[in-house]
C-alpha cells in the first residue's frame, strides 16, 4: 500500500545555526500511518517545488515568531525572535499547497503563519496585548490540560471530534488577532482567543493553537485530529 508522505517544516536553532526537530511531530504522524519528511530550511523555490511534488500534505510546526512585516505591522519590542527565511519558505509552501489541493495542518506558529499569510493579524505578545487570567504559557509536563476550548458546530473540527468543548495544552505567547478573510474560526479558548481556524474552500487546511505533538499519546482528541489530517492526504 502506498504510504502518505508529509513534509514537516524544520525547526531552527539560531545559536547553534542548526536544524532540529521535536520527536512528537514525527511520532504522531508515524502513529497515524504517514511517512514524515523534515524539509531543509530554504527559500529556493526549485527545491521546494520538488517537495510539493512528492508530499501529499504539510505540517507547519511551532518555533520562531512570525515576522510582523508578513501581516503589515510594526515589530514591537516584545515580539520574539523571527526567521525571515522560514517565513518566506512557509508562505510559499502554504500558498502552493493550497493551490494544488494538498492538505495542511498548522500547529502553534503554524496557525499564526496561516492567518498572517492570508491577510489576518496577530497579537505579538499576549501578556502585553491581551488581558486574561489564563496562563497560555504553561510549564511542563505539556501533555495535560491548561484550559478549555469551545468547538464551533458546523466546522471540520466538530466533525472530527464530535464535541463542543475540549481540554487543551497551551504553550505560546503570540496568537491570532483578526482572522483572515480566507479562514473561519472553529475553536475559541474560554478567554476568547481564537484557537482553531480552517479554510472553507480547501479539503483540509486547518490550524490549531494547542500542541497535539505533546498530547497525542494521552489525548484522544489529539489523535483524532492527526489521524484526520493524515487520512485526508
Amino acid at each position: 500500500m502506498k504510504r502518505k508522505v508529509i513534509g514537516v517544516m524544520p525547526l531552527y536553532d539560531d545559536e547553534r545555526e542548526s536544524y532540529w526537530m521535536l520527536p512528537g511531530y514525527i511520532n504522531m504522524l508515524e502513529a497515524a500511518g504517514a511517512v514524515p519528511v523534515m524539509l531543509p530550511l530554504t527559500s529556493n523555490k526549485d527545491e521546494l517545488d520538488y517537495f510539493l511534488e512528492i508530499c501529499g500534505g504539510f505540517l507547519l510546526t511551532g518555533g520562531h515568531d512570525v515576522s510582523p512585516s508578513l501581516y503589515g505591522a510594526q515589530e514591537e519590542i516584545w515580539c520574539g525572535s523571527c526567521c525571515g527565511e522560514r517565513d518566506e519558505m512557509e508562505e510559499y509552501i502554504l500558498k502552493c499547497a493550497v493551490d494544488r489541493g494538498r492538505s495542511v495542518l498548522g500547529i502553534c506558529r503554524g496557525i499564526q503563519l496561516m492567518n498572517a499569510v492570508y491577510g489576518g493579524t496577530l497579537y505579538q505578545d499576549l501578556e502585553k496585548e491581551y488581558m486574561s487570567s489564563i496562563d497560555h504559557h504553561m510549564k511542563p509536563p505539556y501533555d495535560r490540560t491548561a484550559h478549555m476550548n469551545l468547538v464551533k458546530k458546523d466546522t471540520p473540527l466538530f466533525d472530527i471530534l464530535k464535541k463542543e468543548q475540549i481540554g487543551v495544552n497551551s504553550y505560546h505567547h503570540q496568537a491570532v488577532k483578526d482572522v483572515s478573510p480566507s479562514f473561519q474560526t472553529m475553536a475559541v479558548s474560554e478567554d476568547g482567543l481564537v484557537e482553531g481556524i480552517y479554510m472553507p474552500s480547501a479539503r483540509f487546511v486547518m490550524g490549531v493553537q494547542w500542541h497535539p505533538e505533546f498530547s497525542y499519546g494521552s489525548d484522544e482528541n489529539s489523535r483524532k485530529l492527526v489521524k484526520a489530517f493524515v487520512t485526508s492526504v
Side-chain angles (χ1 to χ4, degrees):
M1 183 177 70
K2 186 176 180 181
R3 302 293 297 277
K4 298 183 176 185
V5 179
I6 293 179
V8 181
M9 299 302 110
L11 306 179
Y12 187 73
D13 188 313
D14 296 292
E15 293 184 3
R16 294 184 173 87
E17 297 183 346
S18 62
Y19 302 154
W20 67 287
M21 180 55 57
L22 284 166
Y25 291 124
I26 304 300
N27 293 341
M28 72 179 190
L29 292 173
E30 289 180 329
V35 177
V37 176
M38 187 178 84
L39 274 59
L41 179 61
T42 179
S43 54
N44 184 313
K45 292 181 173 58
D46 289 336
E47 287 188 39
L48 297 178
D49 285 343
Y50 170 75
F51 291 104
L52 283 159
E53 287 296 327
I54 69 169
C55 297
F58 294 91
L59 178 67
L60 305 182
T61 55
H64 288 84
D65 283 1
V66 176
S67 302
S69 60
L70 200 62
Y71 50 97
Q74 178 180 340
E75 184 173 329
E76 304 291 351
I77 59 173
W78 46 77
C79 183
S81 175
C82 302
C83 180
E85 187 167 32
R86 186 174 174 189
D87 288 341
E88 184 179 353
M89 169 187 174
E90 293 184 1
E91 179 178 16
Y92 183 77
I93 285 285
L94 175 59
K95 286 183 174 179
C96 289
V98 169
D99 289 344
R100 298 183 187 200
R102 303 288 195 270
S103 297
V104 185
L105 176 63
I107 293 175
C108 195
R109 167 192 157 90
I111 183 179
Q112 297 160 14
L113 187 283
M114 284 177 161
N115 191 58
V117 164
Y118 283 93
T121 63
L122 304 178
Y123 293 108
Q124 293 185 39
D125 183 80
L126 292 175
E127 185 177 349
K128 299 292 185 182
E129 301 178 0
Y130 191 85
M131 297 297 295
S132 175
S133 60
I134 293 177
D135 182 7
H136 287 280
H137 203 266
M138 70 187 294
K139 298 200 170 34
Y142 300 119
D143 61 345
R144 57 191 174 88
T145 294
H147 61 79
M148 303 303 292
N149 277 354
L150 303 177
V151 179
K152 295 193 173 186
K153 288 187 174 181
D154 300 319
T155 65
L157 187 62
F158 183 83
D159 293 340
I160 293 167
L161 303 180
K162 308 299 183 186
K163 294 178 181 178
E164 294 184 56
Q165 185 169 283
I166 58 171
V168 298
N169 53 15
S170 189
Y171 189 77
H172 60 106
H173 85 104
Q174 295 198 315
V176 171
K177 186 178 181 181
D178 301 306
V179 177
S180 156
S182 297
F183 283 87
Q184 290 185 15
T185 302
M186 61 181 185
V188 180
S189 65
E190 54 190 286
D191 62 349
L193 274 178
V194 174
E195 291 252 335
I197 60 174
Y198 73 102
M199 183 176 283
S201 61
R203 179 178 55 180
F204 193 112
V205 177
M206 296 169 52
V208 298
Q209 187 58 69
W210 62 95
H211 291 270
E213 77 276 14
F214 290 130
S215 58
Y216 78 97
S218 58
D219 178 50
E220 182 184 15
N221 296 322
S222 296
R223 291 192 295 273
K224 284 183 176 181
L225 173 61
V226 176
K227 184 65 176 178
F229 169 49
V230 171
T231 299
S232 73
V233 172

